[in-house]
């Protein structure tokens, strides 16, 4: 079995090793080394990537107890190689994984809930606990977690054995009496875990719970730590600055800006509705009856407005047809036709102009025609 360098020192980013085997396997070459600091996917954390000499390692997986480096090209067997881990990515994952331990430890300690699911990708950490948490709980958990970061607790890996292990109260308890790797955040949390973590809590930098909600009787939390949390703060800060500058308001008044805009929009909509209603009423009042009924040509009316105009017109002139058109000769016209006689006239109109549309009581659609021809059709027949 390869020596697992990362188990006892998670800060080794470059190392030398001997290539035990290299075999083509699908799109990758599976490389096994006599020793490795590449962490294979496990414990909710992704496998490392990096380089073996100049060959890119896209992923690292544990297969039948062996650590397999998924390489993009072959490496000669038996030779000694220089290996390099993509340290930026690995460190980011160590920060986020450790942040999850801190949060799960606090939640277990304060509420007695267990972590029942952990997932980490390169955007965020999500994990589930088997109990309900309120907004106030989340606030307290986050404050406590960041205080633990400030207090700079050392983090170590211990392998207690026999009775010591059996009697030890740690999370993710296993039915084993030896070989259990326990991550010890001193004074905060003990948890069985195979993954690499940072050496002190202060290295986590910052913990931000971005979202939480009920899930399967418990609570799911979305979390950002370290550089990810700072990146998130940067983006939010930029957006707050953009909006508050544009609205000439203070930095902490984003909610007031939003509420003010909502109420302005509501009153503008109301004003617009009233204005449209008065325009419609005016058009209906001034309408002159032709032989075929009342014909309206309007501009910049939505379909809803056309329906309203037709509705007001048919209610006022109950014994005649009302026909409303909006558009122009080049692009065609949206129309709504209703009122007395429209049931007979509409099919005729549709045939004559090859119009699209239909309806019951009121007919609506679109037609490609000239205004003069429409006028002729509805007035002179
Ligand atoms: Zn862990």
């Amino acid at each position: 079995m390869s020596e697992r360098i990362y188990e006892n020192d998670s800060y080794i980013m470059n190392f030398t090793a001997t290539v035990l085997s290299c075999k083509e396997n699908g799109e990758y070459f599976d490389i096994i080394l006599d020793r490795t600091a590449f962490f294979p996917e496990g414990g909710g954390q992704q496998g490392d990537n990096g380089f073996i000499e100049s060959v890119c390692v896209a992923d690292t997986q544990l297969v039948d107890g062996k650590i397999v480096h998924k390489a993009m090209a072959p490496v000669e067997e038996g030779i000694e190689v220089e290996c390099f881990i993509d340290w930026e990515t690995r460190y980011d994952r160590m920060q986020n994984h450790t942040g999850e331990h801190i949060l799960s430890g606090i939640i277990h300690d304060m509420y007695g809930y267990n972590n029942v699911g952990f997932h980490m990708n390169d955007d965020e950490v999500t994990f589930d606990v088997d109990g309900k948490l309120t907004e106030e709980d989340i606030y307290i958990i986050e404050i406590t977690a960041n205080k633990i970061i400030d207090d700079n607790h050392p983090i170590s890996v211990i392998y207690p054995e026999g009775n010591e292990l059996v009697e030890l109260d740690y999370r993710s308890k296993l039915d084993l009496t030896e070989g259990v790797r326990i991550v010890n955040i001193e004074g905060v949390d003990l948890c069985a875990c195979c993954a690499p973590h940072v050496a002190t809590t202060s290295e986590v930098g910052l913990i931000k719970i971005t979202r939480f909600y009920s899930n399967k009787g418990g609570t799911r939390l979305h979390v950002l730590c370290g550089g990810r949390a700072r990146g998130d703060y940067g983006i939010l800060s930029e957006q707050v600055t953009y909006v508050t500058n544009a609205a000439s308001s203070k930095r902490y008044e984003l909610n007031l800006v939003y509420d003010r805009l909502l109420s302005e929009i509501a009153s503008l909509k109301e004003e617009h509705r009233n204005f449209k209603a008065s325009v419609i009423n005016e058009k209906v009042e001034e309408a002159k009856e032709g032989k075929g009924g009342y014909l309206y040509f309007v501009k910049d009316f939505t379909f809803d407005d056309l329906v309203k105009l037709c509705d007001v017109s048919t209610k006022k002139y109950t014994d005649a047809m009302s026909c409303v058109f909006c558009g122009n000769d080049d692009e065609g016209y949206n129309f709504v036709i209703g009122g007395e006689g429209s049931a007979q006239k509409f099919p005729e109109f549709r045939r004559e102009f090859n119009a699209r549309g239909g309806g019951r009581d009121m007919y609506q659609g679109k037609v490609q025609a000239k205004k003069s021809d429409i006028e002729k059709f509805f007035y002179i027949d």
Side-chain angles (χ1 to χ4, degrees), residues 291-320:
K291 282 182 195 164
Y294 293 85
L295 184 59
Y296 304 86
F297 279 91
V298 293
K299 284 200 171 67
D300 301 326
F301 266 44
T302 63
F303 243 113
D304 278 353
D305 295 334
L306 297 183
V307 170
K308 268 178 212 137
L309 173 50
C310 188
D311 187 51
V312 172
S313 180
T314 53
K315 279 182 180 138
K316 184 168 171 69
Y317 309 117
T318 50
D319 57 350

Side-chain angles (χ1 to χ4, degrees), residues 326-342:
C326 175
N328 56 58
D329 284 5
D330 291 335
E331 290 162 36
Y333 294 87
N334 291 328
F335 64 82
V336 177
I337 298 170
E340 182 67 30
S342 58

Side-chain angles (χ1 to χ4, degrees), residues 233-252 254 257:
Y233 181 79
I235 291 167
L236 292 179
S237 181
E238 214 172 85
Q239 295 190 358
V240 168
T241 304
Y242 176 85
V243 174
T244 51
N245 277 354
S248 304
S249 70
K250 289 181 186 154
R251 188 164 172 81
Y252 298 124
L254 194 60
V257 170

